[in-house]
Amino acid sequence: MTLRLSSLSEVAERFDAIVLDQWGVLHDGTCPYPRAVAALERLRARGTRLAVLSNSGKRAAPNLDRIAAMGFAPDLFDSVMTSGEALYQDIAAGRVQPRALFPIERSSHDAQAWASGLAVNLVTDLSHADGVLLMGLPDAADLTAIQTRLDQALALDLPVFCTNPDRASPRADGQLVT
């Protein structure tokens, strides 16, 4: 059965814990959605456990910092987990073992911050990589150049570790970057 809600409060008391996405649910990438902070504060005050689950290519801590900077108190959340964090933990535990990754990132130095603490080298030449780290694309990305890099990675039979598979990302004022 599908239930159309106008507010999370209509069903929140049925649950001990609620898992939320961040982009497009809590915020638009720039600021929280109206009443989102107050709604989560009310849920937390009544004892609801809250978690953020995101396909962000970055690790959990920078995502918590981002939402905290938007006005969500860090102690609202029992857990923050991202796809970037999942890959980081898999590499740290030896479940995935790349030694040299060619990064494709949304912002300069995202990959460097992400890889801190790992025994992984970030390389600028695909021929020296044993995998591609695809964290996201800049808003004004040259898609032809990125496609060329991915085609080269395919020709080299390199695995692509995609920590942010978004086809589109919400931005302020309802803009959607594709």
Side-chain angles (χ1 to χ4, degrees), residues 16 21-22 54 57 66-67 72 75 116 121 127 146 151 169:
D16 296 327
D21 191 7
Q22 62 170 323
S54 175
R66 171 185 220 118
I67 57 182
F72 295 92
D75 62 356
S116 179
N121 293 317
S127 67
I146 291 169
D151 290 342
S169 184

Side-chain angles (χ1 to χ4, degrees), residues 20-34 36 52-56 63 66-67 70 72 166 168-172 174-176:
L20 304 149
D21 191 7
Q22 62 170 323
W23 287 72
V25 175
L26 298 179
H27 62 78
D28 64 8
T30 305
C31 60
Y33 288 123
V52 174
L53 181 63
S54 175
N55 66 344
S56 167
N63 280 276
R66 171 185 220 118
I67 57 182
M70 291 183 196
F72 295 92
D166 283 338
S169 184
R171 296 289 188 269
Q175 181 183 6
L176 193 64

Side-chain angles (χ1 to χ4, degrees), residues 78-107:
D78 293 283
S79 179
V80 174
M81 185 62 179
T82 67
S83 52
E85 182 71 30
L87 178 61
Y88 183 95
Q89 289 181 16
D90 279 348
I91 293 171
R95 290 184 290 271
V96 180
Q97 299 180 349
R99 295 172 313 283
L101 291 171
F102 178 86
I104 299 174
E105 56 199 348
R106 182 170 186 266
S107 300

Side-chain angles (χ1 to χ4, degrees), residues 6-150:
S6 59
S7 171
L8 183 58
S9 64
E10 294 174 33
V11 295
E13 60 189 41
R14 296 183 197 173
F15 304 97
D16 296 327
I18 298 174
V19 179
L20 304 149
D21 191 7
Q22 62 170 323
W23 287 72
V25 175
L26 298 179
H27 62 78
D28 64 8
T30 305
C31 60
Y33 288 123
R35 300 182 303 275
V37 173
L40 295 187
E41 288 171 345
R42 282 192 304 278
L43 288 169
R44 189 63 167 173
R46 74 171 202 76
T48 304
R49 296 179 67 201
L50 301 172
V52 174
L53 181 63
S54 175
N55 66 344
S56 167
K58 295 181 181 181
R59 296 199 53 209
N63 280 276
L64 181 57
D65 292 345
R66 171 185 220 118
I67 57 182
M70 291 183 196
F72 295 92
D75 62 356
L76 279 175
F77 306 102
D78 293 283
S79 179
V80 174
M81 185 62 179
T82 67
S83 52
E85 182 71 30
L87 178 61
Y88 183 95
Q89 289 181 16
D90 279 348
I91 293 171
R95 290 184 290 271
V96 180
Q97 299 180 349
R99 295 172 313 283
L101 291 171
F102 178 86
I104 299 174
E105 56 199 348
R106 182 170 186 266
S107 300
S108 181
H109 304 295
D110 281 352
Q112 187 175 24
W114 174 87
S116 179
L118 290 177
V120 170
N121 293 317
L122 300 174
V123 298
T124 58
D125 185 336
L126 271 170
S127 67
H128 295 120
D130 60 2
V132 174
L133 174 63
L134 179 54
M135 297 182 71
L137 304 177
D139 286 353
D142 178 356
L143 298 180
T144 302
I146 291 169
Q147 184 63 56
T148 298
R149 291 291 192 185
L150 292 173

